[in-house]
Amino acid sequence: KAGVTQTPRYLIKTRGQQVTLSCSPISGHRSVSWYQQTPGQGLQFLFEYFSETQRNKGNFPGRFSGRQFSNSRSEMNVSTLELGDSALYLCASSFYGVDTEAFFGQGTRLTVV
Amino acid sequence: DAKTTQPPSMDCAEGRAANLPCNHSTISGNEYVYWYRQIHSQGPQYIIHGLKNNETNEMASLIITEDRKSSTLILPHATLRDTAVYYCIVRVDGTGGFKTIFGAGTRLFVKA
């Protein structure tokens, strides 16, 4: 079956702009989590959505937001981009619950200039 | 906020077993231990997970101590393609859901 699909793969934006990233989970998976990966901070949890509801949130400013649609596809939005937002953004989908593995997409590489 | 600690790097000879340790001394009774690996520029790949019993699959074995404060991932016959960053993580129950907290991971170098 198809894996987790993230679009776009690469993105270049200017400071102050906003950006929307998309994640299509594996068919049947209802949980989608988002992560930011930078060389300095490693992999950091942003938020998790399940059945269109945000269930958990990491320690990121309000400029980072997300949503999930009825088909489980999820979008992540970053407003007022800063240079420090340059990172690899990963999403992961899982069926349900803490005892099921999560499958990651290839990520979206965002560069803010 | 990572709940796990791992050595920053390890070497292993090709064909030998790679034993990657992880400390998770503050783990709660209902929290699972997961292992993922990340090969350069790719998304993390699931390897194995467990609660308190040892687990084995086609990729690896997971040995969890009886007190659950530490675990070891074993790659029985490491190959050059196993060179990656290995993350030991704990799935934390949140309010009605869960989140995954990654530590810094162990960079495994498999050498010929």
Side-chain angles (χ1 to χ4, degrees):
Chain A
K1 55 184 176 182
V4 178
T5 304
Q6 291 189 246
T7 56
R9 290 294 310 278
Y10 302 92
L11 205 50
I12 300 175
K13 289 286 188 179
T14 304
R15 267 185 306 175
Q17 287 186 313
Q18 74 164 12
V19 67
T20 299
L21 312 181
S22 178
C23 173
S24 293
I26 291 172
S27 178
H29 284 190
R30 297 164 64 189
S31 169
V32 174
S33 299
W34 287 90
Y35 300 83
Q36 181 196 64
Q37 187 172 31
T38 60
Q41 298 296 319
L43 267 160
Q44 292 188 289
F45 172 80
L46 279 156
F47 28 65
E48 184 233 352
Y49 286 88
F50 182 84
S51 292
E52 303 178 64
T53 300
Q54 186 182 89
R55 296 198 299 185
N56 278 286
K57 190 175 188 303
N59 299 321
F60 278 81
R63 300 185 297 107
F64 292 82
S65 63
R67 59 178 175 169
Q68 186 180 34
F69 302 95
S70 58
N71 61 358
S72 293
R73 189 178 71 86
S74 178
E75 288 183 345
M76 193 194 95
N77 184 275
V78 187
S79 63
T80 319
L81 284 166
E82 301 176 359
L83 295 179
D85 297 332
S86 295
L88 179 67
Y89 290 89
L90 292 155
C91 87
S93 78
S94 62
F95 179 65
Y96 176 78
V98 72
D99 61 344
T100 58
E101 63 267 34
F103 295 88
F104 283 80
Q106 293 302 302
T108 294
R109 171 96 37 205
L110 171 66
T111 302
V112 182
V113 297
Chain B
D1 290 39
K3 296 187 67 173
T4 63
T5 54
Q6 300 174 252
S9 66
M10 293 181 63
D11 290 344
C12 179
E14 187 178 24
R16 304 297 294 269
N19 297 286
L20 292 91
C22 178
N23 180 287
H24 32 79
S25 58
T26 61
I27 194 169
S28 299
N30 60 348
E31 292 176 343
Y32 284 74
V33 178
Y34 279 76
W35 283 83
Y36 286 80
R37 71 180 183 184
Q38 188 174 26
I39 297 170
H40 184 62
S41 298
Q42 297 183 19
Q45 175 191 24
Y46 166 81
I47 300 173
I48 199 168
H49 75 282
L51 182 61
K52 53 185 176 181
N53 297 322
N54 297 339
E55 303 287 344
T56 295
N57 63 21
E58 64 278 5
M59 287 183 67
S61 294
L62 173 61
I63 308 297
I64 303 174
T65 58
E66 193 168 340
D67 62 9
R68 303 214 319 126
K69 293 185 176 183
S70 65
S71 61
T72 301
L73 177 74
I74 301 172
L75 306 177
H77 305 287
T79 70
L80 298 179
R81 286 178 294 180
D82 291 323
T83 293
V85 178
Y86 287 77
Y87 295 98
C88 166
I89 59 180
V90 169
R91 294 290 276 274
V92 178
D93 272 323
T95 52
F98 60 89
K99 59 184 178 181
T100 302
I101 301 175
F102 284 82
T106 295
R107 188 172 296 275
L108 176 68
F109 296 95
V110 181
K111 301 182 177 181

